[in-house]
């Protein structure tokens, strides 16, 4: 027998504690960085050492964005299904691309603009699937709409975080594990301190705890004590976030960022299939269509089509290829070999 899933009003005040657990998982990446640094001591490999000094406070603005966006997403997760939540997170591509053009002066190629348009179309399809399928006792239609909008808002904040990281953090050549761990440290400390005033701030009907406050950490800990499955879920969340960041960095280093994006897209399929298998949501064909469109948008934006086009272009006549290179102003002859 599948246990009853609490409604959003019962667990809404639990979101900040979940975010604290997420930052604790990110903070553990800092310990992993120093373990790797100690292991590399005395060896020729110095890849874990930063190439230049940096101010750790550079990580504070991205950490604040991460804290705000994550808290909004945890609240929204209680209002909609896990699969729709994961699919709608694909909106981050739209805002990251637009902010990169506006604030980083980056020029997007045609395939990236097409990827953004495909992502928008996929989000519309997923939202339509939510409107047509969420007519049950667990999620009211108003909650679903509010949750979907909160997820989109959170992606705007996450996109700001990514732009800040690229502009102020990664230009200092900070090791990714150290970057994630330092942001986790700031987020963990700040959000833990914010739990104290949240305990006394009234929230009215928006609150999901008996005291009617914005956050009741003591009640959350009582829930963890009464329901061991919640404790298991929190520990699993902390461990999975730490492993996810470490594994993502490893895949990027050993293979490529493109491979990481492909593997990350598979996460949505796993979440959707598991939700269907456990009976937590009903099957809706529009979700498959929305996911496929989102996957196409992600592939176009991250350049997954380029290897296929490159392989197809190898079969063209040599004269045609040379003419294209001449028009583009490119050459395959090394500069030091040119006569």
């Amino acid at each position: 027998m599948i246990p009853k899933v609490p409604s959003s009003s019962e667990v809404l005040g639990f979101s900040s504690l979940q975010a604290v657990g997420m930052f604790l998982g990110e903070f553990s990446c800092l310990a992993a960085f120093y373990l790797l640094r100690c292991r590399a001591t005395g060896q020729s490999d110095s890849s874990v050492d930063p190439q230049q000094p940096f101010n750790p406070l550079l990580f504070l603005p991205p950490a604040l964005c991460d804290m705000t966006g994550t808290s909004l997403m945890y609240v929204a997760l209680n209002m909609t299904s896990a699969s729709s939540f994961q699919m709608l997170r694909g909106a981050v591509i739209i805002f990251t691309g637009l902010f990169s053009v506006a604030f980083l002066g980056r020029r997007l190629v045609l395939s990236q603009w097409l990827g953004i348009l495909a992502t928008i179309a996929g989000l519309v399809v997923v939202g339509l699937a939510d409107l047509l399928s969420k007519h049950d006792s667990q999620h009211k239609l108003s909650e679903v709409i509010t949750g979907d909008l909160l997820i989109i808002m959170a992606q705007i904040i996450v996109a700001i975080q990514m732009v800040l990281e690229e502009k102020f953090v990664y230009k200092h050549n900070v090791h990714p594990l150290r970057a994630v761990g330092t942001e986790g440290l700031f987020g963990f400390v700040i959000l833990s301190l914010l739990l104290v005033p949240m305990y006394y701030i009234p929230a009215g009907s928006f609150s999901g705890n008996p005291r009617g406050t914005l956050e009741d950490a003591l009640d959350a800990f009582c829930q963890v004590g009464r329901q061991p499955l919640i404790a298991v879920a929190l520990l699993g969340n902390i461990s999975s976030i730490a492993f996810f960041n470490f594994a993502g960095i490893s895949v990027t280093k050993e293979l490529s960022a493109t491979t990481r994006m492909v593997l990350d897209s598979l996460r949505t399929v796993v979440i959707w299939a598991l939700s269907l298998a456990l009976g937590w949501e009903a099957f809706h064909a529009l979700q498959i269509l929305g996911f496929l469109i989102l996957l196409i948008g992600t592939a176009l934006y991250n350049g997954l089509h380029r290897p296929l086009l490159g392989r197809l272009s190898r079969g063209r006549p040599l004269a045609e290829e040379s003419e294209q290179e001449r028009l583009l102003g490119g050459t395959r002859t090394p500069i030091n070999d040119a006569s």
Side-chain angles (χ1 to χ4, degrees):
M1 180 178 180
I2 300 176
K4 176 182 178 296
V5 179
S7 64
S8 59
S9 62
E10 293 172 332
V11 295
L12 190 58
F14 200 62
S15 56
S16 296
L17 190 62
Q18 290 176 295
V20 170
M22 185 211 70
F23 283 117
L24 184 59
E26 290 185 357
F27 178 42
S28 64
C29 291
L30 193 61
F33 165 77
Y34 284 109
L35 287 176
L36 292 176
R37 189 176 183 179
C38 293
R39 184 178 179 182
T41 302
Q43 300 180 2
S44 58
D45 182 16
S46 59
S47 60
V48 296
D49 296 325
Q51 295 183 356
Q52 55 181 309
F54 67 96
N55 186 354
L57 291 178
L58 289 174
F59 293 94
L60 182 58
L64 292 175
C65 292
D66 195 6
M67 179 183 66
T68 306
T70 301
S71 298
L72 284 177
M73 283 190 286
Y74 276 126
V75 172
L77 182 59
N78 297 318
M79 298 181 175
T80 186
S81 64
S83 60
S84 297
F85 167 83
Q86 186 62 37
M87 292 180 189
L88 291 174
R89 289 182 65 182
V92 70
I93 291 178
I94 301 173
F95 304 111
T96 302
L98 296 179
F99 291 159
S100 297
V101 172
F103 300 108
L104 299 181
R106 177 171 299 160
R107 297 180 61 184
L108 300 181
V109 298
L110 178 61
S111 62
Q112 290 177 313
W113 286 113
L114 292 176
I116 290 177
L117 293 177
T119 302
I120 294 176
L123 293 176
V124 172
V125 174
V126 172
L128 183 60
D130 276 342
L131 295 179
L132 296 178
S133 62
K134 296 298 185 298
H135 296 286
D136 52 29
S137 58
Q138 181 180 341
H139 297 290
K140 298 179 181 179
L141 181 59
S142 59
E143 287 185 349
V144 172
I145 296 176
T146 303
D148 290 349
L149 292 177
L150 286 177
I151 296 173
I152 301 299
M153 291 175 56
Q155 302 320 300
I156 299 177
I157 300 174
V158 172
I160 296 175
Q161 173 194 346
M162 292 185 177
V163 172
L164 288 175
E165 287 176 346
E166 183 171 354
K167 187 175 181 64
F168 301 114
V169 177
Y170 285 107
K171 72 175 183 179
H172 295 275
N173 197 23
V174 182
H175 190 276
L177 274 178
R178 191 174 191 182
V180 173
T182 306
E183 286 186 19
L185 173 61
F186 278 121
F188 177 77
V189 173
I190 294 174
L191 194 55
S192 297
L193 294 176
L194 287 178
L195 287 177
V196 177
M198 286 181 181
Y199 184 80
Y200 300 99
I201 299 176
S205 59
F206 185 74
S207 173
N209 57 73
R211 298 181 63 252
T213 55
L214 188 61
E215 183 73 38
D216 191 344
L218 296 181
D219 180 65
F221 283 115
C222 290
Q223 293 183 44
V224 174
R226 290 194 299 264
Q227 296 289 339
L229 287 178
I230 299 180
V232 173
L234 284 176
L235 292 177
N237 187 37
I238 295 173
S239 303
S240 65
I241 288 173
F243 180 78
F244 175 79
N245 285 282
F246 181 78
I249 293 170
S250 301
V251 170
T252 302
K253 180 179 178 181
E254 300 298 332
L255 298 175
S256 66
T258 301
T259 305
R260 180 179 180 179
M261 291 303 302
V262 174
L263 296 176
D264 187 66
S265 299
L266 297 177
R267 178 173 49 165
T268 304
V269 180
V270 174
I271 292 175
W272 182 66
L274 186 61
S275 298
L276 290 177
L278 295 177
W280 290 348
E281 61 178 283
F283 173 81
H284 204 289
L286 275 180
Q287 281 194 325
I288 298 180
L289 177 61
F291 170 72
L292 291 177
I293 298 177
L294 287 173
L295 189 60
I296 292 174
T298 303
L300 288 173
Y301 188 86
N302 291 283
L304 301 186
H305 63 288
R306 293 172 186 168
L308 178 61
L309 294 179
R311 180 168 298 182
L312 293 176
S313 65
R314 293 175 186 174
R316 293 180 305 173
L318 181 60
E320 180 184 350
E321 185 175 356
S322 300
E323 177 67 14
Q324 183 187 35
E325 290 181 359
R326 184 186 66 80
L327 293 174
L328 294 176
T331 178
R332 291 189 179 183
T333 305
I335 296 177
N336 55 2
D337 290 344
S339 57

